[in-house]
């Protein structure tokens, strides 16, 4: 039996920047009805690492809409105008907003869009000619779905079983337990920002700090200009054209683009370490790259990590009181999709088979489409989690569900030619 009632064009599950951006672009399209469902009671964005001075790693142009529609009423500049901060932002002369300001912008946009907070989804099914998305007290029908549930903190098995002696960076500011010795395991930007906070506390008489990471060095993000062209639609199209086996191999080489540390943060870390040179009586600080943590156990009121030094192969034990896991994220579970699972086509590794327009492969009996936001790293490359690709991804989805070019997609996005020259172009000169 088909669910009764009005049918939305799109139901977007999850209210992060990507689905919020979809709703923003759809808000100015008269014949497109998008509803966003969010389980939480309000918009929260990386609140566990919302340090007061943390800066967004991309320009304000990577807002919800600007890179496909710079005149849109929900742009970051429109937000600044509404808050009467355009001139202060102009005089500041920094393209990168603080992270807290960007979250405030997202909240400003969400208040102007059809976002239904406190709407956790428990089921999504295909019902005749539509998707039916339901929770405990609601049911919404839609022609298409967009999955934007984001990621969830990942703590590896080596650190399992430590209870409240381990905290993921995602929860760091929510669970700042007092400890005499704190060890951060893993690097990346979040890990580095936690170490930065711990070093500041150390300089004020705070805990001993150890930083362990598997990478051979505390590597900087490669944000040089031509490398940044890997976050453009030009590279996305090239990456998607590759066989999946090749995509996986190429993506493994790109870790410094999204799992490393900003040069500014590394400079701040070094400055704090240098300041310790003329201070006396501080708790010790240790930075040790090239280390794998193989296991962890709570022993007599402390945590003991069994580690391997990757260059020498030497095994050693490290003693600490609290572990902060800077160990990344994995795709958030989607148990509500169980009714749809028999209709979903996956690759040999269990991942969605994702088309260039970000729709996943479904059984031919399903006439609606399911799109994914930030669940396409394996199919679209390093740009997938980048805020700078969000507006283009969403414009692509808008065009796909309306069947027309509502938003012209940018064509000239990179100077680099990523693919091999085709036969026609070979030997030609300009």
């Amino acid at each position: 039996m088909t669910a009764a009632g009005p049918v939305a064009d799109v139901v977007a599950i999850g209210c992060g920047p990507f689905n919020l951006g979809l709703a923003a672009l759809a808000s100015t399209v008269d014949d497109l009805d998008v509803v966003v469902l969010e389980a939480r009671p309000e918009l929260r964005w990386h609140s566990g690492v919302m340090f007061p001075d943390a800066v967004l790693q991309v320009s304000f142009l990577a807002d919800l809409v600007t890179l496909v529609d710079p005149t849109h009423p929900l742009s970051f500049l429109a937000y600044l105008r509404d808050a009467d901060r355009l001139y202060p932002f102009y005089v500041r002369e920094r393209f990168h907003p603080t992270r807290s300001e960007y979250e405030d912008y997202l909240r400003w946009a969400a208040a102007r869009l059809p976002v239904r907070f406190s709407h956790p989804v428990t089921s999504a099914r295909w019902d005749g000619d539509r998707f039916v998305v339901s929770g405990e007290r609601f049911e919404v029908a839609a022609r298409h779905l967009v999955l934007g549930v984001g990621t969830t903190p990942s703590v590896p098995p080596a650190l399992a079983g430590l209870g409240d002696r381990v905290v993921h960076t995602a929860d760091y500011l929510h669970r700042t337990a007092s400890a005499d010795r704190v060890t951060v395991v893993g690097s990346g930007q979040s890990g580095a920002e936690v170490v930065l906070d711990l070093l500041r506390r150390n300089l004020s008489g705070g805990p001993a700090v150890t930083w362990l990471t598997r990478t051979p060095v505390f590597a900087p993000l490669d944000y040089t200009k031509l490398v940044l062209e890997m976050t453009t639609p030009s590279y996305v199209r090239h990456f998607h054209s590759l066989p999946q086996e090749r995509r996986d191999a190429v993506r493994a080489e790109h870790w410094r683009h999204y799992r490393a540390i900003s040069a500014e943060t590394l400079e701040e870390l070094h400055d704090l370490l240098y300041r310790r040179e003329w201070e006396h009586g501080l708790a010790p600080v240790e930075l040790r790259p090239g280390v794998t943590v193989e296991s962890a156990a709570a022993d007599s009121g402390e945590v003991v990590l069994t580690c391997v030094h990757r260059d020498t192969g030497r095994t050693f034990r490290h003693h600490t009181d609290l572990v902060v896991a800077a160990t990344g994220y994995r795709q958030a579970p989607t148990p509500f999709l169980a009714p749809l699972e028999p209709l979903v086509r996956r690759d040999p590794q269990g991942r969605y088979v994702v088309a260039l327009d970000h729709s996943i492969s479904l059984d031919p009996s399903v006439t609606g489409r399911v799109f994914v936001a930030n669940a396409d790293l394996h199919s679209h490359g390093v740009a997938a989690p980048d805020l700078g690709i969000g507006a283009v991804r969403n414009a692509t989805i808008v065009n796909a569900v309306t069947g027309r070019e509502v938003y012209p997609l940018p064509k000239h996005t990179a100077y680099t030619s990523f693919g091999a020259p085709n036969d026609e172009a070979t030997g030609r000169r300009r």
Side-chain angles (χ1 to χ4, degrees), residues 155-168 171 175 177 296-299 302-303 305 321-325:
V155 176
L159 298 177
L162 294 179
D164 60 3
R165 294 299 185 94
V166 62
V167 55
H168 194 274
D171 298 315
R175 293 179 53 193
D299 183 20
E302 67 176 3
V303 173
L305 304 180
D321 299 311
L322 178 70
V323 175
V324 180

Side-chain angles (χ1 to χ4, degrees), residues 96-233:
H96 296 69
T98 65
R99 199 175 290 159
S100 58
E101 183 178 32
Y102 190 78
E103 182 188 52
D104 192 62
Y105 160 64
L106 297 179
R107 290 172 177 265
W108 172 85
R112 290 155 175 78
L113 291 168
V115 181
R116 303 181 187 179
F117 289 105
S118 300
H119 275 62
V121 173
T122 58
S123 173
R125 69 184 192 275
W126 179 248
D127 194 357
D129 62 349
R130 66 195 67 181
F131 294 100
V132 178
V133 180
S134 56
E136 290 186 5
R137 296 181 298 276
F138 69 90
E139 187 171 88
V140 185
R143 296 179 179 85
H144 308 283
L145 294 184
V146 179
L147 305 178
V149 296
T151 56
T152 190
S154 177
V155 176
L159 298 177
L162 294 179
D164 60 3
R165 294 299 185 94
V166 62
V167 55
H168 194 274
T169 50
D171 298 315
Y172 175 74
L173 291 178
H174 304 317
R175 293 179 53 193
T176 50
S178 59
D180 293 330
R181 299 168 296 177
V182 181
T183 298
V184 178
V185 176
S187 50
Q189 184 65 24
S190 295
E193 289 178 1
V194 167
V195 173
L196 196 64
D197 181 67
L198 290 169
L199 287 179
R200 288 168 178 155
R201 290 168 54 191
N202 175 271
L203 277 164
S204 301
V209 181
T210 300
W211 192 8
L212 307 175
T213 182
R214 290 185 302 174
T215 57
V217 294
F218 295 103
L221 284 165
D222 194 342
Y223 265 29
T224 49
K225 300 302 181 186
L226 293 180
V227 170
L228 272 180
E229 290 195 342
M230 288 166 48
T231 64
T232 65

Side-chain angles (χ1 to χ4, degrees), residues 271-327:
D271 282 346
L272 289 177
L273 291 167
Y274 184 72
R275 282 175 54 189
R276 300 181 76 258
E277 293 282 354
W278 60 86
E279 299 288 348
H280 302 284
L282 298 177
V285 170
E286 175 187 18
L287 279 66
R288 198 176 295 278
V291 170
T292 297
V293 177
E294 291 202 325
S295 63
D299 183 20
S300 301
E302 67 176 3
V303 173
V304 180
L305 304 180
T306 301
C307 308
V308 174
H309 187 258
R310 294 165 69 90
D311 283 349
T312 64
R314 179 189 167 195
T315 299
F316 64 95
R317 303 180 86 192
H318 172 72
H319 299 257
T320 190
D321 299 311
L322 178 70
V323 175
V324 180
T327 48

